[in-house]
Amino acid sequence: MPNLKLCNINKIYPNGFQAVYNFNMEIKEGEFIVLVGPSGCGKSTTLRMIAGLEEISKGEFYVGEKLANQLSPKQRGVSMVFQSYALYPHLSVYDNLAFSLQLEGLDAETIDEKVRRVAEILGLSDYLFRKPKALSGGQRQRVAVGRAIIRKVDIFLMDEPLSNLDAKQRVSMRAEIIDLHRKVGATTIYVTHDQTEAMTMADRIVIMKDGHVQQIGTPRELYFEPANTFVAGFIGEPPMNLVKAEVKDGKVIIPGSDASYDLKDVHDNELENQEIFFGVRPEHLKVQRKNEGMIEVHTTVELTEMLGDNSNMYLKWGSNNIISKVDPHEVSKVGEEVTLYVQKKNIFLFDKDGNSLMK
Ligand code: ATP
């Protein structure tokens, strides 16, 4: 299986709109890559350029050592699952799966063997002779995935394949796709706007905004070492609290609150007189002090949300609004004053343009 290389890929649509800027990445064979970002960030455009469905305006795309810009999807060895999984309604599951193999002219026995193997992998063996309308959304989605994997391909591309499913079905299909990737091993590029899908499925995530790659990394790297405030705010639920801060006499001061912290040991810049952003994740704001050296955040509770396994407290920190994610037993009442504690290692600092200042 080849690796893939995207070198300075740009997309400018015929109307002059630039949807992707200088996309650079090397994808190892068998990797599961997730492209994630808000609507319109250019992730589908990037996927379609990889698929060969959209022309690359500038830059080179290599499949192995071969320049692939001008190759058809088939020559690239790609198979794609779309958001709208158009199954043939008048054909049974069996025939939907068999269709592309029949077009390739394979003999009936080989087709039968492949259809049954894919049905087995995807748990569709009991539904082979049903029409799509007699299937649940999740089962239909599995047929669509089955149609894509039944042909032997090196590269598997998926554009929001779970968006038509309900929350429960999405969780189980997520697990099935990961399992399938383990079994089939094809290099997979998966597009979603859902950070949970990205975090749970990817070997590496590419996070995009306005056509620009913001960061490429493992889920762990994106969570613990976000390159900028956009990534910090996109990964994590609820998102990271980001408040404006100033540095005076070596201390990080949070305007609109009584807070002033010596955080020289966590960043690697001379910040005197700079405006910065102070970031802390809701799950790192703890009600109980665990050890010395933690910094204190004095807040007032404005609203609480009970979610079952945890609760969100919406807090006023001076004039800033922040969220803390706590154990439901630790929730304070609306109007109460609460002191929360954060370990210094869980503090993030960003410059005024949003770029990370962390060591
Ligand atoms: P979504 O999650 O909404 O599908 P996306 O991140 O996949 O968004 P793209 O579909 O890649 O985004 O679109 C990126 C940008 O390019 C958008 O601003 C879109 O309006 C624009 N765009 C897409 N197709 C065309 C086109 N054919 N001509 C001009 N602009 C286009």
Side-chain angles (χ1 to χ4, degrees):
M1 250 185 300
N3 60 347
L4 308 177
K5 212 152 74 186
L6 294 96
C7 305
N8 276 313
I9 299 280
N10 286 266
K11 178 66 191 180
I12 304 161
Y13 279 110
N15 67 357
F17 180 78
Q18 181 147 5
V20 178
Y21 295 81
N22 298 324
F23 193 118
N24 280 298
M25 186 177 190
E26 203 166 334
I27 299 172
K28 293 192 280 290
E29 60 173 87
E31 250 191 311
F32 197 114
I33 299 294
V34 177
L35 304 183
V36 69
S39 181
C41 70
K43 48 197 191 298
S44 295
T45 301
T46 303
L47 195 74
R48 292 170 60 80
M49 287 193 284
I50 293 170
L53 299 171
E54 197 70 71
E55 198 190 350
I56 296 169
S57 310
K58 226 167 45 187
E60 288 97 46
F61 172 56
Y62 292 91
V63 177
E65 296 303 307
K66 200 164 176 186
L67 183 64
N69 288 45
Q70 304 303 331
L71 300 184
S72 70
K74 200 163 176 200
Q75 289 167 321
R76 293 178 193 204
V78 302
S79 186
M80 189 147 169
V81 185
F82 294 96
Q83 186 169 347
S84 51
Y85 41 85
L87 301 179
Y88 300 110
H90 56 290
L91 297 183
S92 65
V93 169
Y94 188 102
D95 289 331
N96 265 286
L97 292 173
F99 192 78
S100 65
L101 303 179
Q102 284 158 352
L103 281 186
E104 278 181 30
L106 297 189
D107 64 79
E109 200 181 325
T110 310
I111 292 176
D112 189 64
E113 196 183 300
K114 284 179 186 276
V115 167
R116 289 184 189 278
R117 194 178 64 85
V118 165
E120 172 89 38
I121 290 176
L122 290 168
L124 290 167
S125 300
D126 293 341
Y127 310 102
L128 279 173
F129 298 101
R130 286 203 198 169
K131 297 270 172 63
K133 70 172 185 304
L135 300 175
S136 72
Q139 289 161 346
R140 276 180 224 164
Q141 191 65 56
R142 277 186 262 157
V143 180
V145 171
R147 280 205 323 195
I149 63 163
I150 201 156
R151 288 172 40 227
K152 177 105 190 73
V153 295
D154 292 332
I155 309 160
F156 200 26
L157 306 176
M158 303 197 198
D159 194 349
E160 306 243 10
L162 311 187
S163 56
N164 293 322
L165 304 182
D166 68 31
K168 224 170 169 177
Q169 287 173 329
R170 271 210 300 276
V171 173
S172 65
M173 266 311 281
R174 218 158 68 193
E176 282 178 34
I177 290 174
I178 297 168
D179 189 43
L180 185 69
H181 178 250
R182 213 173 296 131
K183 286 181 186 145
V184 178
T187 306
T188 304
I189 308 176
Y190 183 105
V191 160
T192 181
H193 61 271
D194 179 350
Q195 61 103 17
T196 310
E197 271 178 32
M199 291 296 277
T200 52
M201 299 176 87
D203 290 324
R204 283 190 299 157
I205 297 172
V206 181
I207 180 158
M208 297 180 74
K209 178 185 172 232
D210 298 335
H212 295 272
V213 172
Q214 301 293 305
Q215 190 170 359
I216 300 178
T218 63
R220 218 187 145 73
E221 282 164 351
L222 264 57
Y223 180 83
F224 287 107
E225 299 159 35
N228 57 38
T229 46
F230 178 78
V231 176
F234 196 85
I235 300 291
E237 179 56 38
M240 183 186 287
N241 296 297
L242 288 163
V243 302
K244 278 197 172 147
E246 295 166 358
V247 184
K248 288 266 160 62
D249 302 326
K251 294 231 160 80
V252 173
I253 297 173
I254 314 293
S257 81
D258 58 0
S260 152
Y261 308 117
D262 184 352
L263 294 173
K264 274 197 212 71
D265 42 343
V266 302
H267 62 81
D268 68 356
N269 279 52
E270 178 49 63
L271 299 177
E272 196 58 31
N273 291 323
Q274 279 195 45
E275 278 179 28
I276 61 170
F277 287 98
F278 173 98
V280 57
R281 295 198 181 276
E283 56 272 35
H284 293 150
L285 281 160
K286 303 282 187 199
V287 175
Q288 276 147 22
R289 183 200 291 258
K290 294 263 165 43
N291 56 31
E292 288 307 310
M294 293 180 100
I295 68 166
E296 293 184 8
V297 177
H298 300 284
T299 69
T300 310
V301 181
E302 296 229 300
L303 182 78
T304 64
E305 264 177 2
M306 167 66 180
L307 298 169
D309 56 343
N310 62 63
S311 288
N312 292 332
M313 288 201 288
Y314 291 78
L315 308 155
K316 205 83 191 168
W317 182 23
S319 55
N320 301 297
N321 297 309
I322 59 170
I323 305 177
S324 146
K325 185 169 168 179
V326 295
D327 186 289
H329 302 295
E330 294 179 330
V331 172
S332 302
K333 291 198 180 65
V334 171
E336 271 184 5
E337 290 186 1
V338 187
T339 300
L340 297 160
Y341 299 91
V342 190
Q343 290 194 4
K344 277 191 182 176
K345 72 174 171 65
N346 290 327
I347 298 295
F348 295 86
L349 300 179
F350 301 92
D351 68 19
K352 65 176 183 346
D353 299 321
N355 298 310
S356 177
L357 291 164
M358 305 310 290
K359 274 182 181 161

